[in-house]
Amino acid sequence: MSEITLKKTLLLNTPGIKAYLNSLILKGLINWILNIAITIFLFRSLGSAKASLYMGLREIVYLILSPLAGYILDKYGEKKILIFTVFLNIMTIISILYLIKFKVTYFILFLIPLFLKSFSGALDYPIQLSIPKLLVKEQILLQLNGIISSINTII
């Protein structure tokens, strides 16, 4: 058996890997669909300028909050923050769906879930990157990181 085949077998047989990779794919798809839905709704109801502003602000807020997220992670720990981000994501999705369902056209109301979603993403991403080290041995960590990078690029 070649070394590459052995590493692939070790990776796929490691407990938790398939669940972790499936959760990354599912989370990425949900975020992608949600961002597209919000952008389409804002484009149709408020015009291209507001939709573009929303997309730009989403990235700017994420960039600004990322250093703060690192501080919060160090202070409170990953497990508590992971539970908090899951709850925050659920509340954000519910609020956005509510705004879309009732055809709310006040742009300022979309900025609140935008801030929450970006803050949640800034907190969640470093945790997502730290989980592989806990799941696999160092010999196959590079292979897992390559798979994770591919998933993030595709989605």
Side-chain angles (χ1 to χ4, degrees), residues 35-120:
N35 288 332
I36 295 295
I38 294 168
T39 305
I40 290 171
F41 176 78
L42 289 174
F43 179 76
R44 288 183 179 171
S45 59
L46 300 175
S48 63
K50 296 279 172 99
S52 300
L53 181 61
Y54 179 85
M55 290 169 48
L57 283 175
R58 183 180 68 214
E59 300 304 320
I60 291 169
V61 170
Y62 182 82
L63 288 172
I64 291 171
L65 293 177
S66 290
L68 177 64
Y71 169 76
I72 291 171
L73 280 168
D74 289 341
K75 185 171 182 176
Y76 294 105
E78 293 176 351
K79 188 174 182 179
K80 289 179 185 176
I81 298 300
L82 186 59
I83 292 168
F84 174 73
T85 59
V86 168
F87 176 75
L88 193 60
N89 271 330
I90 291 169
M91 296 308 296
T92 303
I93 290 170
I94 289 170
S95 65
I96 290 171
L97 291 174
Y98 177 83
L99 292 171
I100 291 174
K101 179 180 180 182
F102 293 105
K103 297 183 171 103
V104 175
T105 56
Y106 297 108
F107 182 69
I108 195 78
L109 291 178
F110 280 91
L111 296 180
I112 297 167
L114 163 83
F115 175 80
L116 294 175
K117 184 86 176 94
S118 294
F119 185 60
S120 172

Side-chain angles (χ1 to χ4, degrees), residues 28-39:
L29 287 173
I30 289 170
N31 283 333
W32 184 77
I33 290 168
L34 183 65
N35 288 332
I36 295 295
I38 294 168
T39 305

Side-chain angles (χ1 to χ4, degrees), residues 3-14 140 143:
E3 185 178 335
I4 294 172
T5 308
L6 181 62
K7 284 184 179 181
K8 184 177 180 182
T9 304
L10 286 173
L11 180 65
L12 295 177
N13 289 333
T14 304
I140 54 177
Q143 183 183 8

Side-chain angles (χ1 to χ4, degrees), residues 9-20 131-132 134-136 144:
T9 304
L10 286 173
L11 180 65
L12 295 177
N13 289 333
T14 304
I17 290 295
K18 290 179 185 175
Y20 174 71
I131 290 174
L134 303 172
L135 292 175
V136 298
L144 180 59

